[in-house]
Amino acid sequence: MATTTSLRSRLLILPSPAASPTAVYLRLRPCAAALPSSSRKRNPCLAARAAPPGGAVAPASSSTPAAAAEKDEKGGVEGLSAADAERLCEFLRADLPHLFDDVGIDRSAYDDRVRFRDPITRHDTIIGYLFNIRLLKLIFRPDFYLHDVKQTGPYELTTRWTMVMKFMLLPWKPELVFTGLSIMGVNPQNLKFNSHVDLWDSIQNNEYFSFEGLMDVFKQLRIYKTPNIETPNYLILKRTAHYEVRSYEPFLIVEAKGDKLTGSSGFNNVTGYIFGKNASSEKIPMTTPVFTQASDDTLSDVSIQIVLPMNKDLNSLPAPNTEVTLRKVEGGIAAVKKFSGRPKEEIVLQKEKDLRSQLLKDGLKPQQGCLLARYNDPRTKSFVMRNEVLIRLNDFTLEL
């Protein structure tokens, strides 16, 4: 919190000393809800509000700079007017979804000397700012999701976002995920953005240049082997140093009784169903991951599950003729800890314990039980295996 306050204090563009210290703070409505998607299947409509076909239109001030200064002097009001704050927020909601597409952001909304900082990058002109965007687009193919925009200071707006990238220069194309805040300073003379500072959720030191930030990039370059087959759709809402928070869409599963989180009891039953051992002998495409779920606080009541294709519904699926059940898993919020290696029982139990402890430390509300997600078949080399422990959350709020 101290770091955020320190950075924000450098961004506030204050009017003349004669102005009154009274500030206008607006809590604008959150962005519209978006349908989650997996990190491999991105939907550009996930942005809080769809942008116009031709991109956003740069906001115009409700008054000239001179008139605004006169209003400050006579009325004693410091900061953006309610109309200007709303207009700038609406502009960002429309403009930022174009950050990495062919339309691009509207550069006329930014000062020529716009100051950009994130933990490992800095630019002090609009040319450098746009160059950084082009470079990210070329090397990482980013997908950007805007969650919320609101006014957080007299001449300051803050956005919350998720950015998912693939590093295209490495053969295994690792996925890098960053979530956080962008603090946007506004020039009171022309109402253009003149500063942009990114704060990442995954690190403590967001000051440029952050060695912690650089290490956060490098550690995401490791190899995780994820099969190129269908998987439940989700959107990463927040990535911390210890876990991700994901919003999952509903999905269907075929389920059988299991023995333990890392066990294989019941696996032949659920795979038998999708391989044709059902009432109509229909073969159903394989998906990933295989879930094992412990629904009690002792992690002893276990079931094994295979996700069914997203284009299926319960009415269109063939009836089972083995000891399996079909059901819909409701979408929701889950905290996820990813790890590699062979998922031995003692390792998984420790991962669950560590994740639950961290969630409680962070003030979140984990539900009892957990899921283990195994993405690879046993023949996969252990150091590239992708495994995840998931704990569902109650009452999660993504805040600025």
Side-chain angles (χ1 to χ4, degrees):
M1 182 63 70
T3 302
T4 304
T5 304
S6 170
L7 287 168
R8 277 190 167 144
S9 67
R10 303 177 191 182
L11 288 170
L12 296 181
I13 312 299
L14 300 178
S16 61
S20 165
T22 304
V24 177
Y25 290 89
L26 299 177
R27 183 167 185 84
L28 301 179
R29 63 185 180 280
C31 294
L35 291 175
S37 72
S38 76
S39 55
R40 286 168 294 284
K41 291 170 60 182
R42 297 297 171 185
N43 184 347
C45 295
L46 280 170
R49 185 170 291 196
V57 177
S61 171
S62 59
S63 59
T64 64
E70 182 180 354
K71 181 169 63 177
D72 285 350
E73 183 178 351
K74 291 182 177 180
V77 177
E78 177 186 332
L80 294 167
S81 69
D84 284 335
E86 175 70 14
R87 185 161 34 252
L88 288 169
C89 285
E90 289 296 321
F91 169 77
L92 289 177
R93 290 186 184 107
D95 192 57
L96 288 179
H98 293 295
L99 193 60
F100 298 109
D101 68 15
D102 292 336
V103 175
I105 60 170
D106 184 348
R107 66 171 290 168
S108 68
Y110 296 82
D111 262 341
D112 287 341
R113 300 292 298 177
V114 62
R115 174 181 176 270
F116 173 79
R117 299 287 186 275
D118 71 19
I120 59 173
T121 311
R122 62 183 294 176
H123 295 284
D124 293 304
T125 65
I126 185 63
I127 294 174
Y129 186 71
L130 295 175
F131 170 78
N132 185 62
I133 293 172
R134 288 194 299 270
L135 186 65
L136 289 174
K137 182 179 175 180
L138 176 66
I139 298 177
F140 292 100
R141 309 279 177 85
D143 290 312
F144 180 84
Y145 306 99
L146 180 65
H147 303 301
D148 200 3
V149 185
K150 73 175 182 180
Q151 184 182 8
T152 50
Y155 289 95
E156 174 189 287
L157 305 180
T158 298
T159 69
R160 172 160 279 284
W161 45 265
T162 295
M163 187 164 66
V164 181
M165 310 187 293
K166 287 189 181 295
F167 192 16
M168 307 306 293
L169 299 184
L170 293 177
W172 60 94
K173 296 179 175 55
E175 182 177 87
L176 291 80
V177 179
F178 298 92
T179 66
L181 305 176
S182 292
I183 304 171
M184 313 286 290
V186 180
N187 185 337
Q189 299 304 313
N190 58 19
L191 296 189
K192 291 187 176 185
F193 296 108
N194 61 0
S195 60
H196 175 162
V197 173
D198 283 350
L199 308 179
W200 297 352
D201 294 323
S202 52
I203 62 175
Q204 293 295 316
N205 178 23
N206 273 284
E207 296 274 359
Y208 177 85
F209 179 83
S210 171
F211 181 74
E212 182 187 5
L214 182 63
M215 294 307 297
D216 186 53
V217 173
F218 278 124
K219 75 180 183 180
Q220 294 189 73
L221 298 179
R222 61 155 302 144
I223 302 176
Y224 280 110
K225 184 176 177 60
T226 302
N228 188 26
I229 53 179
E230 196 169 18
T231 190
N233 293 328
Y234 64 81
L235 173 64
I236 299 170
L237 301 178
K238 188 172 185 178
R239 175 183 163 267
T240 75
H242 306 285
Y243 56 86
E244 295 175 357
V245 177
R246 298 177 185 169
S247 175
Y248 275 87
E249 286 185 357
F251 55 92
L252 302 179
I253 59 168
V254 54
E255 181 177 40
K257 182 68 177 175
D259 54 356
K260 58 182 181 178
L261 279 171
T262 59
S264 58
S265 177
F267 181 73
N268 288 339
N269 290 335
V270 292
T271 55
Y273 173 81
I274 66 171
F275 292 155
K277 292 182 179 180
N278 52 61
S280 60
S281 300
E282 178 185 348
K283 293 185 178 181
I284 300 171
M286 187 67 180
T287 63
T288 192
V290 173
F291 285 116
T292 42
Q293 179 175 9
S295 56
D296 62 331
D297 56 1
T298 63
L299 307 183
S300 59
D301 183 11
V302 176
S303 64
I304 189 165
Q305 307 163 356
I306 286 182
V307 179
L308 297 169
M310 302 302 129
N311 63 352
K312 297 288 187 180
D313 59 59
L314 288 176
N315 295 326
S316 66
L317 288 166
N321 55 14
T322 58
E323 295 181 358
V324 300
T325 57
L326 307 176
R327 69 180 177 92
K328 180 180 180 180
V329 176
E330 296 299 332
I333 308 297
V336 182
K337 189 174 186 67
K338 186 186 295 186
F339 63 101
S340 61
R342 303 207 176 275
K344 298 179 179 179
E345 190 76 9
E346 62 272 17
I347 294 175
V348 173
L349 293 177
Q350 186 62 51
K351 297 289 184 185
E352 189 274 342
K353 181 180 178 180
D354 293 345
L355 176 56
R356 187 173 297 275
S357 175
Q358 188 64 49
L359 295 173
L360 292 171
K361 182 179 178 181
D362 291 346
L364 301 179
K365 299 178 181 179
Q367 297 181 9
Q368 71 175 15
C370 73
L371 291 98
L372 170 66
R374 289 174 282 184
Y375 283 80
N376 312 106
D377 67 57
R379 296 168 294 180
T380 305
K381 294 185 183 298
S382 62
F383 69 93
V384 298
M385 280 185 166
R386 177 182 174 183
N387 308 300
E388 295 171 347
V389 169
L390 299 86
I391 298 178
R392 287 186 172 267
L393 300 177
N394 290 323
D395 305 323
F396 178 76
T397 302
L398 189 62
E399 297 181 345
L400 287 180

